[in-house]
Amino acid sequence: MEPIKITIFQAYLFWENAEKNLQNLRLRLSSLKEKTDLILLPEMFNTGFTMNVEKCAERMDGMTMRWMYDTAVSFDCVVAGTLIIEEEGRYYNRFIWMSPDGSYVHYDKRHLFAMGGEDKFFTAGNTRIVTMLKGWKICPMICYDLRFPVWSRNQEEGYDLLVYTASWPDKRSGHWRALIPARAIENQAFVIGVNRVGHDGNEIYYSGGSMCISPLGDVIYYKPEDEDLYTFTLNPKDLESARERFPFLQDRDHFSLL
């Protein structure tokens, strides 16, 4: 494992307007002067969190996937976030991990937000993934997954960094601030939550609060309210030290997910 440099973009999103969002994201990213290894974007970064799948869904060879590839090449780093994907008449809230060589992996959101009707329009995923970057094992999750610690549990296959990309409303921001540190401490891993800011087309307000928490629960980054583009470095020595000082992950319960 090497030190890894991560850029969080806590963005304002234009409602159901992929072209405008991608233009704005590229414009804001143009101010990024330092080299980074990973750019993390919010949930449904090209449209906002919408159930209007017929208007907003794209295919895997669509405009947003091409934008992600172009951006990954431009910054020579991984670009990751979620968008609505249509396949064979089904819709997925899909996390894309796009590498600058054009290869990618994806994760489909497991826990669909029934309170917002997401389960009526989307098909849930059933497979968790762990991807690699600079020796780090990284596990991507999406928003509502944060409330389900069993799905997020650091099991035998292991991860070092857990990432939640989200559209988490301000009225439940207290839960966000409590659960992300909990996931970091209980799983002895770094945890990053990437949220959006501003109002959406349903007049739901998002106050950001994107953060990075260490395996010991320390705050590395936290930004409420404002749009923000911020880069920080995670050191593997800090992860190793935390696990050596408090090796309680080895006493975790063993179980299988159905």
Side-chain angles (χ1 to χ4, degrees), residues 43-110:
E43 182 181 22
M44 295 191 191
F45 65 87
N46 62 334
T47 60
F49 185 68
T50 176
M51 302 301 107
N52 193 353
V53 293
E54 292 185 0
K55 175 183 177 181
C56 296
E58 299 184 24
R59 294 184 179 273
M60 291 295 283
D61 59 354
M63 173 179 66
T64 302
M65 287 290 287
R66 293 195 299 273
W67 179 91
M68 293 184 78
Y69 169 66
D70 290 343
T71 303
V73 170
S74 179
F75 290 95
D76 188 28
C77 71
V78 173
V79 177
T82 92
L83 62 154
I84 303 172
I85 291 292
E86 186 271 326
E87 284 184 346
E88 299 181 351
R90 293 185 176 184
Y91 299 96
Y92 300 89
N93 186 347
R94 179 165 291 177
F95 180 99
I96 303 293
W97 177 274
M98 177 66 73
S99 298
D101 64 2
S103 64
Y104 60 84
V105 294
H106 74 264
Y107 161 72
D108 293 330
K109 189 176 184 179
R110 169 64 174 171

Side-chain angles (χ1 to χ4, degrees), residues 153-157 249-257:
R153 188 62 168 147
N154 205 349
Q155 299 191 75
E156 282 75 10
E157 70 274 17
L249 196 60
Q250 67 188 24
D251 298 324
R252 63 186 179 271
D253 298 305
H254 301 279
F255 59 89
S256 298
L257 286 168

Side-chain angles (χ1 to χ4, degrees), residues 188-223:
Q188 289 199 300
F190 287 97
V191 177
I192 294 175
V194 186
N195 200 17
R196 60 158 295 181
V197 293
H199 289 86
D200 69 12
N202 296 314
E203 289 304 309
I204 295 172
Y205 177 62
Y206 301 85
S207 57
S210 296
M211 68 178 78
C212 178
I213 305 296
S214 80
L216 295 177
D218 298 323
V219 178
I220 296 168
Y221 166 76
Y222 174 65
K223 181 66 175 180

